[in-house]
Amino acid sequence: MTTLDHTHDAGARSWLASANADGGDFPIQNLPFAVFRRAGSTESMRGGVAIGDQVVDLGALSEARLLHGLASDAAHACDRPVLNEFFALGRAAWRALRHALFALLKDDAAPAMAEAMRGCLVPQAAVEFALPARIGDYTDFYTSIDHALNVGRLFRPDDSITPNFQWMPIAYHGRVSTIGVSGQTFHRPMGQARAQGASAPTCGPCARLDYELELGIYIGCGNPAGEPIPLERAEEHVFGICLLNDWSARDIQFWEMAPLGPFLAKNFATTVSPWIVTLEALAPYRLPWLRPADHPQPLAYLEGPANRAGGAIDIRLEVWLESEQARRDRSGPSRLSATRFGHQYWSIAQMVAHHTVGGCSLNPGDLFSSGTISGPGPGEAGAIIELTRAGQSPLTLNNGERRAFLEDGDAVLLRGWCEKPGHARIGFGESRGTVLPARA
Ligand code: CA
């Protein structure tokens, strides 16, 4: 597990005033990575780091020659349209660049250095983002027991979770081609579904469109095929975490998924936030990973003292919905739910160890998602199918509109942050995606 150092000091301040604002997502203790360029320009996409309301342009920083050694190599590797090469450099390089950026942005940086650094800043309001990595493979896990129980009770009241759930982090291989960065729009998918009681399916627009609140996990360093990653080394292979919305067509899903799992119900769009918060930045927010004594205990390859001591992470998460009418009448987005990642039944390290136990190789830039994150309480569900009990109890939005499932024009916003006394609040920014009508 990552240890705390001076870059986590809650008292540290930047010479950039916006980085010190109360309640901001991007103080000097965070320093998350994205890929960006000036909006509407033909500039090359390149790596950037958030600080306050600005982006540190890592391409410009690399050319400014303010860095040395490993930090310089790391910044140079970020001067590309994807961060895969930077990810492949490994934890020592990630840490060297974090420490160098922290020193250059801190309020006691030498004035000449701070001035040179100021020349590498671009306002966040003036940039557009791209996917931060060339994602080779995408695996969607299913690791929230509350989500599994909520969905299971709706469809299999006598047998709400499958027997394997408590023994391993289960998953399916997802689709990369439709993963988009925040701001993504997509058409309501068409597909095959069979109405309750009907003898044959029909093909048409999805009638039960849903979101799933998840976190995305970017693999930093890979492993050779045939060489499993042991649990105690698993986090060395993880670069960081983003917000992820696994859009889901429930009517299509429940007709198609037996016996091979989700297919078209999940392959039309997945939205990620532009910023990747590093495991390094999340170090103050580690929690013990707990497994109740009366539940099955993990098999040996999923069990270890470091995972027990700090395998979980306390990330607060919210889902908001902004309808087309709310945009017109300016009534603002409505909060649908709030929960915490710390409730998750399996840890990220256990996902990595399980994924590779059979010899599967991971590559830099591979993406995992956590599976829908739901907590035990009534307002803590990470999908609308749980909140509305499959549409039986519609939600009421701020402006009085009601929702059983998503409608055309709806934008779903995910937000995430960490905060606790004695530590700097750090945030994930936002992931936003919008449903367009089905193609005629
Ligand atoms: Ca999912």
Side-chain angles (χ1 to χ4, degrees):
M1 303 294 159
T2 316
T3 48
L4 297 183
D5 60 33
H6 65 285
T7 66
H8 302 102
D9 173 9
R13 292 283 178 275
S14 173
W15 45 258
L16 181 72
S18 64
N20 307 323
D22 279 348
D25 277 349
F26 307 122
I28 194 170
Q29 294 86 354
N30 192 352
L31 306 177
F33 287 76
V35 157
F36 80 103
R37 68 179 172 195
R38 285 180 178 79
S41 76
T42 56
E43 294 173 353
S44 297
M45 288 286 180
R46 69 267 188 194
V49 166
I51 181 75
D53 61 2
Q54 305 287 309
V55 183
V56 179
D57 180 340
L58 294 174
L61 181 64
S62 191
E63 279 169 27
R65 305 196 172 280
L66 298 174
L67 304 174
H68 306 283
L70 198 48
S72 171
D73 296 345
H76 184 64
C78 293
D79 189 12
R80 319 274 149 92
V82 288
L83 298 176
N84 297 61
E85 285 178 48
F86 171 55
F87 290 174
L89 291 178
R91 194 184 241 185
W94 310 337
R95 184 172 291 168
L97 183 53
R98 172 180 172 85
H99 284 208
L101 288 166
F102 184 88
L104 287 166
L105 291 164
K106 197 159 174 291
D107 56 4
D108 61 2
M113 300 296 264
E115 195 49 38
M117 191 64 173
R118 199 176 280 281
C120 300
L121 299 182
V122 182
Q124 282 175 33
V127 308
E128 59 190 12
F129 297 101
L131 285 179
R134 185 177 56 255
I135 301 168
D137 281 295
Y138 163 43
T139 304
D140 189 12
F141 281 88
Y142 189 69
T143 65
S144 160
I145 196 166
D146 296 299
H147 172 66
L149 286 167
N150 289 343
V151 174
R153 282 184 195 118
L154 287 170
F155 300 99
R156 297 181 304 275
D158 303 327
D159 178 24
S160 53
I161 49 174
T162 56
N164 53 7
F165 183 91
Q166 291 178 294
W167 290 98
M168 60 182 168
I170 56 179
Y172 67 93
H173 290 296
R175 185 74 191 169
V176 174
S177 63
T178 50
I179 299 175
V181 76
S182 182
Q184 183 178 31
T185 60
F186 62 91
H187 293 277
R188 176 179 295 272
M190 302 288 288
Q192 200 183 116
R194 191 179 70 178
Q196 205 157 24
S199 59
T202 55
C203 184
C206 167
R208 298 188 143 206
L209 186 61
D210 201 351
Y211 57 84
E212 289 186 341
L213 165 66
E214 306 198 19
L215 291 175
I217 296 136
Y218 283 97
I219 296 300
C221 308
N223 60 306
E227 292 184 19
I229 299 172
L231 183 74
E232 62 271 21
R233 309 292 304 263
E235 289 200 357
E236 294 170 30
H237 294 261
V238 175
F239 177 70
I241 297 177
C242 68
L243 303 169
L244 185 146
N245 184 343
D246 177 25
W247 302 94
S248 298
R250 299 300 184 197
D251 44 355
I252 297 170
Q253 182 180 350
F254 288 110
W255 168 234
E256 76 179 1
M257 75 186 288
L260 291 181
F263 182 35
L264 304 195
K266 301 278 193 173
N267 73 4
F268 55 92
T270 303
T271 308
V272 292
S273 60
W275 298 110
I276 308 171
V277 176
T278 62
L279 280 199
E280 196 83 27
L282 291 163
Y285 294 98
R286 304 309 297 239
L287 294 172
W289 176 86
L290 304 172
R291 175 57 52 89
D294 58 343
H295 287 214
Q297 300 303 303
L299 298 179
Y301 76 100
L302 296 174
E303 179 68 276
N307 188 62
R308 287 274 176 181
I313 312 178
D314 185 19
I315 301 172
R316 300 170 191 229
L317 296 159
E318 290 180 346
V319 181
W320 295 70
L321 189 152
E322 184 187 65
S323 68
E324 199 169 339
Q325 188 185 315
R327 281 194 292 281
R328 273 201 309 270
D329 63 26
R330 297 180 185 276
S331 55
S334 304
R335 195 179 82 166
L336 303 189
S337 66
T339 188
R340 292 183 178 218
F341 185 55
H343 295 306
Q344 222 67 354
Y345 201 74
W346 295 101
S347 70
I348 292 171
Q350 288 169 321
M351 294 180 209
V352 171
H354 181 66
H355 204 307
T356 61
V357 70
C360 177
S361 52
L362 303 178
N363 291 300
D366 281 359
L367 182 67
F368 291 1
S369 57
S370 61
T372 307
I373 301 165
S374 297
E380 292 187 279
I384 207 168
I385 191 170
E386 296 170 63
L387 292 171
T388 66
R389 295 174 49 250
Q392 298 169 64
S393 318
L395 302 172
T396 303
L397 308 181
N398 287 348
N399 61 2
E401 285 182 272
R402 286 160 70 78
R403 284 292 180 280
F405 286 94
L406 297 177
E407 296 191 3
D408 294 346
D410 284 352
V412 175
L413 288 68
L414 308 183
R415 292 177 185 156
W417 73 97
C418 303
E419 68 180 324
K420 68 176 181 183
H423 290 280
R425 178 196 191 279
I426 60 172
F428 285 74
E430 187 177 275
S431 165
R432 180 189 184 98
T434 306
V435 182
L436 304 177
R439 287 185 188 279

